[in-house]
Amino acid sequence: MSATVSLSPSPAAAAACSPQERITRSLLGYGVIAGPIYIAVSVAQGLARDGFDFTRHEWSLLANGPWGWIQMVNLVVTGLMVLAAAVGFHRRMTTGTGSRWAPRLLAVYGVSLVAAGIFTADPMLGFPVGTPEGGPVNPSLPGILHMAAGGVGFLALIVATFVLARRFFGEGRRKHAALTVATGIIFLAGFAGIASGSASAVLNLAFTAAVVLVWAWLSATSVHLYRVRS
């Protein structure tokens, strides 16, 4: 008797190769690369732009000056990537804790990045070169909208970390849940420090570190959802 070999893919393999799954993974892939792209472009500009000081200036100030359009595009493109990732989160997390609010909160953050790229921060603290020290005496409308977008987006992202941490705890993924809670707390502390209006180098560097951390968390969480079907 000859053995019969089935060439049909297993149900799991078929699901992994389905058009819907490929689209979901592609969307989550944007969540993986958004942070590294934003950080790389921002750091490269900070090193190349005259007068930019990482200990004093927030990266959003790079949207000012003759080369400011680069950071504007960086913010808008990164925001669109985060929006794509939010759709991927929605498609992956169809049920359970945070399935409704986590993607929505992440989408709010993506929209805030796009808005922050369109409405640039006011020049301050001597950047670009020739700008008076200190903050703007009369903030412009774009500057006010930039700060508002940042505040709303940061708070939405912080809440998203706590929502997802609860989900991960419920799924027994305690390590990822603990890292998610830590990320939310650290980012909240960094945001509170910079929102205080202090020009302290320590606070500015702490906020920058918190930004890098939260982007790393988004990449790691997107990779996690890419690999695990929940």
Side-chain angles (χ1 to χ4, degrees):
M1 295 178 63
S2 59
T4 301
V5 179
S6 176
L7 299 179
S8 301
S10 66
C17 296
S18 68
Q20 294 81 3
E21 178 63 14
R22 288 198 297 269
I23 292 172
T24 300
R25 289 185 171 184
S26 295
L27 291 167
L28 290 170
Y30 285 110
V32 177
I33 66 174
I37 289 175
Y38 176 76
I39 293 170
V41 173
S42 298
V43 171
Q45 290 181 87
L47 294 172
R49 298 280 300 275
D50 289 339
F52 189 84
D53 185 345
F54 284 97
T55 66
R56 302 183 63 214
H57 301 136
E58 297 176 38
W59 292 354
S60 60
L61 291 178
L62 290 165
N64 291 291
W67 296 98
W69 64 269
I70 297 177
Q71 188 67 351
M72 294 173 67
V73 171
N74 188 28
L75 284 163
V76 170
V77 171
T78 303
L80 293 175
M81 289 182 179
V82 172
L83 278 171
V87 176
F89 275 50
H90 172 71
R91 291 169 66 96
R92 176 64 83 227
M93 301 191 308
T94 55
T95 60
T97 303
S99 59
R100 294 183 61 186
W101 281 106
R104 293 177 181 180
L105 290 165
L106 188 59
V108 170
Y109 180 57
V111 171
S112 77
L113 287 170
V114 173
I118 296 173
F119 305 108
T120 59
D122 288 322
M124 64 179 65
L125 300 174
F127 185 84
V129 175
T131 300
E133 291 293 334
V137 177
N138 296 307
S140 67
L141 179 59
I144 293 172
L145 293 175
H146 178 90
M147 290 189 292
V152 171
F154 290 156
L155 289 176
L157 185 58
I158 290 165
V159 175
T161 62
F162 295 132
V163 170
L164 285 169
R166 184 182 175 191
R167 179 186 181 90
F168 295 147
F169 271 123
E171 293 174 342
R173 299 166 183 169
R174 297 187 177 278
K175 182 177 180 180
H176 200 116
L179 291 173
T180 300
V181 169
T183 298
I185 293 173
I186 292 172
F187 190 65
L188 174 60
F191 175 48
I194 206 71
S196 69
S198 172
S200 166
V202 173
L203 288 178
N204 190 64
L205 289 174
F207 176 69
T208 300
V211 168
V212 173
L213 174 62
V214 81
W215 279 121
W217 167 82
L218 178 59
S219 293
T221 302
S222 297
V223 168
H224 168 71
L225 293 177
Y226 183 98
R227 292 175 175 173
V228 180
R229 303 197 67 184
S230 52

